[in-house]
Amino acid sequence: MAEFIKIYEDKPNEAAIKKVVDVLRNGGLVIYPTDTVYGLGCDITNSKALERIARIKGIKLEKANFSFVCSDLSNLSDYVKQIDTSTFKILKRALPGPYTFILPGNNDLPKEFRKKKTVGIRVPNNNIALEIVRMLGNPIVSTSIHDEDEVLEYSTDPELIFEKWQNKVDLVIDGGYGDNVGSTIIDLSGYEPVVLREGKGDPDIF
């Protein structure tokens, strides 16, 4: 059964963050708060954990549209082709924030994602998520646990999330009530920005 730990967003406890990071480093799956809905995440470098998330979501890993959750934009060049100044300005203006940006992936992507031409990058405005990624030292591969068919409170109340997910994941963070609106998804991989989904972030950011 999963561990259930309370972490306060305004002052994340370092020992608690370390516990989460240890779970991730050991190939575990973690449910954690973001600035939108709660996310299901794992270490980007762990193939077995990536397979587990894909199985839970009922999709093939190479077809999955998972986001890469980063602590800032310094990791971008590890996974994304060089981007122009105007694209970088959009990212700087919007992040950290409730956006997922689709960018052209490079050849250094983890082998599980090399067939994909693009990658979704997320820098959530949530101290718990950012501290986890900082301490881990590389991005978390993440997918939201928000499910259109379910009662909305599942994705906002950490105790209900734990009840539902305790036998599927290794750790659930109670970071307070989440939102029930996903991130705004903007595709920056082409010539012009394209809003793919309007969510919590202002779609007119560019």
Side-chain angles (χ1 to χ4, degrees):
M1 191 170 94
E3 203 168 345
F4 189 48
I5 64 171
K6 176 83 184 166
I7 303 180
Y8 294 94
E9 204 227 327
D10 55 350
K11 202 169 180 206
N13 177 288
E14 194 176 329
I17 296 289
K18 186 178 182 306
K19 188 178 274 195
V20 178
V21 168
D22 287 345
V23 168
L24 289 167
R25 284 199 180 123
N26 290 323
L29 304 189
V30 168
I31 290 177
Y32 67 99
T34 73
D35 52 357
T36 58
V37 299
Y38 268 76
L40 166 64
C42 73
D43 186 338
I44 195 172
T45 64
N46 193 297
S47 299
K48 284 202 170 89
L50 291 169
E51 290 284 359
R52 270 181 75 192
I53 288 192
R55 265 202 310 279
I56 285 173
K57 295 291 275 190
I59 44 181
K60 284 201 160 68
L61 185 53
E62 60 272 15
K63 290 200 167 71
N65 289 321
F66 295 148
S67 300
F68 291 8
V69 175
C70 305
S71 57
D72 54 39
L73 296 175
S74 63
N75 289 110
L76 265 195
S77 57
D78 295 347
Y79 308 104
V80 171
K81 285 181 181 164
Q82 193 160 3
I83 52 178
D84 60 31
T85 310
S86 61
T87 301
F88 192 72
K89 277 185 178 161
I90 293 171
L91 297 176
K92 283 286 281 185
R93 200 177 313 137
L95 300 174
Y99 295 89
T100 302
F101 287 104
I102 310 297
L103 296 163
N106 66 19
N107 295 330
D108 296 327
L109 283 171
K111 61 182 187 301
E112 292 83 5
F113 301 105
R114 292 231 179 104
K115 287 183 181 162
K116 295 182 80 64
K117 299 276 189 289
T118 58
V119 59
I121 297 290
R122 190 98 163 72
V123 183
N125 188 16
N126 178 287
N127 287 332
I128 298 169
L130 296 179
E131 285 302 320
I132 291 168
V133 178
R134 271 190 208 113
M135 195 182 280
L136 182 63
N138 53 255
I140 297 172
V141 167
S142 186
T143 179
S144 66
I145 61 164
H146 178 61
D147 190 323
E148 305 298 336
D149 302 330
E150 285 171 9
V151 185
L152 280 179
E153 61 184 346
Y154 261 135
S155 53
T156 62
D157 184 335
E159 292 192 5
L160 289 177
I161 291 169
F162 178 70
E163 268 175 41
K164 186 186 172 206
W165 288 85
Q166 60 187 332
N167 296 316
K168 295 181 187 171
V169 302
D170 302 285
L171 187 143
V172 176
I173 295 171
D174 175 357
Y177 273 82
D179 211 324
N180 57 15
V181 180
S183 61
T184 293
I185 303 175
I186 300 175
D187 189 344
L188 297 178
S189 65
Y191 293 110
E192 291 286 321
V194 178
V195 177
L196 301 183
R197 179 181 79 188
E198 282 196 36
K200 193 174 172 186
D202 178 2
D204 299 324
I205 191 73
F206 37 84

